[in-house]
Coordinates of all heavy atoms in Angstrom, one line a residue:
A1 N -59.9 7.6 15.2 CA -60.3 7.1 13.9 C -59.5 7.7 12.7 O -59.7 7.3 11.6 CB -61.8 7.3 13.7
G2 N -58.8 8.7 13.0 CA -58.0 9.4 12.0 C -58.8 10.4 11.1 O -58.5 10.7 10.0
V3 N -59.9 11.0 11.8 CA -60.7 12.0 11.1 C -59.9 13.2 10.9 O -59.1 13.7 11.7 CB -61.9 12.3 12.0 CG1 -62.6 13.5 11.5 CG2 -62.8 11.2 12.1
G4 N -60.0 13.8 9.6 CA -59.1 14.9 9.2 C -59.7 16.3 9.4 O -59.0 17.2 9.2
H5 N -61.0 16.4 9.8 CA -61.6 17.7 9.9 C -62.8 17.6 10.8 O -63.6 16.8 10.7 CB -62.0 18.2 8.5 CG -62.5 19.6 8.4 ND1 -63.0 20.1 7.3 CD2 -62.5 20.6 9.3 CE1 -63.3 21.4 7.4 NE2 -63.0 21.7 8.7
H6 N -62.8 18.5 11.8 CA -63.9 18.6 12.7 C -64.5 20.0 12.5 O -63.9 21.0 12.6 CB -63.4 18.5 14.2 CG -64.5 18.7 15.2 ND1 -65.1 17.6 15.8 CD2 -65.1 19.8 15.7 CE1 -66.0 18.1 16.6 NE2 -66.0 19.4 16.6
V7 N -65.9 20.0 12.3 CA -66.6 21.2 12.1 C -67.6 21.4 13.3 O -68.4 20.5 13.5 CB -67.3 21.3 10.7 CG1 -68.1 22.6 10.5 CG2 -66.4 21.0 9.6
T8 N -67.5 22.5 13.9 CA -68.5 22.8 15.1 C -69.4 23.9 14.7 O -68.9 25.0 14.2 CB -67.7 23.1 16.4 OG1 -67.1 21.9 16.8 CG2 -68.7 23.6 17.4
L9 N -70.7 23.8 14.9 CA -71.7 24.9 14.8 C -71.8 25.6 16.1 O -72.0 25.1 17.2 CB -73.0 24.3 14.4 CG -74.2 25.4 14.4 CD1 -73.9 26.4 13.4 CD2 -75.5 24.7 14.2
S10 N -71.5 26.9 16.1 CA -71.6 27.8 17.3 C -72.5 29.0 17.0 O -73.3 28.9 16.0 CB -70.2 28.2 17.7 OG -70.3 28.8 19.0
I11 N -72.4 30.0 17.8 CA -73.4 31.1 17.8 C -72.7 32.4 17.6 O -71.7 32.7 18.3 CB -74.3 31.1 19.0 CG1 -74.9 29.7 19.3 CG2 -75.3 32.2 19.0 CD1 -75.6 29.6 20.7
V12 N -73.2 33.2 16.7 CA -72.7 34.6 16.5 C -72.9 35.4 17.8 O -74.0 35.4 18.5 CB -73.4 35.3 15.4 CG1 -73.1 36.8 15.4 CG2 -73.0 34.7 14.1
G13 N -71.8 36.1 18.3 CA -72.0 36.8 19.5 C -71.8 36.1 20.8 O -71.9 36.6 21.9
V14 N -71.4 34.8 20.7 CA -71.3 33.9 21.9 C -70.2 34.5 22.9 O -70.3 34.2 24.1 CB -71.0 32.5 21.5 CG1 -69.6 32.3 21.0 CG2 -71.2 31.5 22.6
D15 N -69.3 35.2 22.4 CA -68.2 35.8 23.2 C -68.5 37.2 23.6 O -67.7 37.9 24.2 CB -66.9 35.7 22.5 CG -66.9 36.2 21.1 OD1 -67.9 36.6 20.6 OD2 -65.8 36.4 20.5
R16 N -69.7 37.7 23.2 CA -70.0 39.1 23.5 C -71.2 39.3 24.5 O -71.7 40.4 24.6 CB -70.3 39.9 22.2 CG -69.1 39.9 21.3 CD -69.3 40.9 20.1 NE -70.4 40.6 19.3 CZ -70.3 39.9 18.1 NH1 -69.1 39.4 17.8 NH2 -71.3 39.7 17.4
I17 N -71.7 38.1 25.0 CA -72.8 38.2 25.9 C -72.3 37.8 27.4 O -72.3 36.5 27.7 CB -74.0 37.2 25.5 CG1 -74.3 37.5 24.1 CG2 -75.2 37.4 26.4 CD1 -75.0 38.9 23.8
P18 N -71.9 38.7 28.2 CA -71.4 38.3 29.5 C -72.4 37.8 30.5 O -73.6 38.2 30.5 CB -70.8 39.6 30.0 CG -71.7 40.7 29.4 CD -72.0 40.1 28.0
G19 N -72.0 36.7 31.2 CA -72.8 36.2 32.3 C -74.0 35.3 31.8 O -74.9 35.0 32.7
Y20 N -74.1 34.9 30.5 CA -75.2 34.1 30.1 C -74.7 32.6 30.0 O -73.8 32.4 29.2 CB -75.7 34.6 28.7 CG -77.0 33.9 28.3 CD1 -78.1 33.8 29.1 CD2 -77.1 33.3 27.0 CE1 -79.3 33.1 28.7 CE2 -78.2 32.6 26.6 CZ -79.3 32.6 27.4 OH -80.5 31.9 27.0
G21 N -75.3 31.8 30.9 CA -74.7 30.4 31.1 C -74.6 29.6 29.8 O -73.6 28.9 29.6
Y22 N -75.7 29.6 29.0 CA -75.7 28.7 27.8 C -74.5 29.1 26.9 O -73.9 28.3 26.3 CB -77.0 28.8 27.1 CG -77.1 27.9 25.8 CD1 -77.3 26.5 25.9 CD2 -76.9 28.4 24.6 CE1 -77.3 25.7 24.8 CE2 -76.9 27.7 23.4 CZ -77.1 26.3 23.6 OH -77.1 25.5 22.4
Y23 N -74.3 30.4 26.8 CA -73.3 30.9 25.8 C -71.9 30.6 26.4 O -70.9 30.3 25.7 CB -73.4 32.4 25.6 CG -74.5 32.8 24.6 CD1 -75.4 31.9 24.2 CD2 -74.5 34.0 24.1 CE1 -76.4 32.2 23.3 CE2 -75.5 34.4 23.2 CZ -76.4 33.5 22.8 OH -77.4 33.8 21.9
R24 N -71.7 30.6 27.8 CA -70.5 30.2 28.3 C -70.2 28.7 28.0 O -69.0 28.3 27.8 CB -70.6 30.3 29.9 CG -70.4 31.7 30.3 CD -70.6 31.8 31.9 NE -70.3 33.1 32.4 CZ -70.6 33.5 33.7 NH1 -71.0 32.5 34.5 NH2 -70.4 34.7 34.0
A25 N -71.3 27.9 28.0 CA -71.1 26.5 27.6 C -70.7 26.3 26.2 O -69.8 25.5 25.9 CB -72.4 25.7 27.9
K26 N -71.3 27.1 25.3 CA -70.8 27.0 23.9 C -69.4 27.5 23.7 O -68.6 26.9 22.9 CB -71.7 27.9 23.0 CG -73.2 27.4 22.8 CD -73.2 26.0 22.1 CE -72.8 26.2 20.6 NZ -72.9 24.9 19.9
L27 N -68.9 28.5 24.5 CA -67.5 28.9 24.5 C -66.6 27.8 24.9 O -65.5 27.5 24.4 CB -67.3 30.1 25.3 CG -67.7 31.5 24.7 CD1 -67.6 32.6 25.7 CD2 -66.9 31.8 23.4
R28 N -67.1 27.0 26.0 CA -66.3 25.9 26.4 C -66.2 24.8 25.3 O -65.1 24.2 25.1 CB -67.0 25.2 27.7 CG -66.4 24.0 28.2 CD -65.0 24.2 28.6 NE -64.4 22.9 29.1 CZ -63.1 22.6 29.0 NH1 -62.3 23.4 28.4 NH2 -62.7 21.5 29.5
Q29 N -67.3 24.6 24.6 CA -67.3 23.7 23.4 C -66.2 24.2 22.4 O -65.4 23.4 21.9 CB -68.6 23.6 22.8 CG -68.7 22.6 21.7 CD -70.0 22.7 20.9 OE1 -70.6 23.8 20.8 NE2 -70.5 21.6 20.4

């Protein structure tokens, strides 16, 4: 569609919580 900007809402600390599945999913996003 030619969208010029994508903004994603994520979580503070998502890369500092090892082994927590939901946060791994957000990192994948």
Side-chain angles (χ1 to χ4, degrees):
V3 171
H5 187 188
H6 176 98
V7 181
T8 289
L9 174 62
S10 192
I11 306 168
V12 167
V14 71
D15 53 351
R16 300 194 294 267
I17 308 294
Y20 187 52
Y22 181 79
Y23 282 14
R24 285 178 178 172
K26 289 295 291 182
L27 280 175
R28 174 61 178 147
Q29 182 188 34

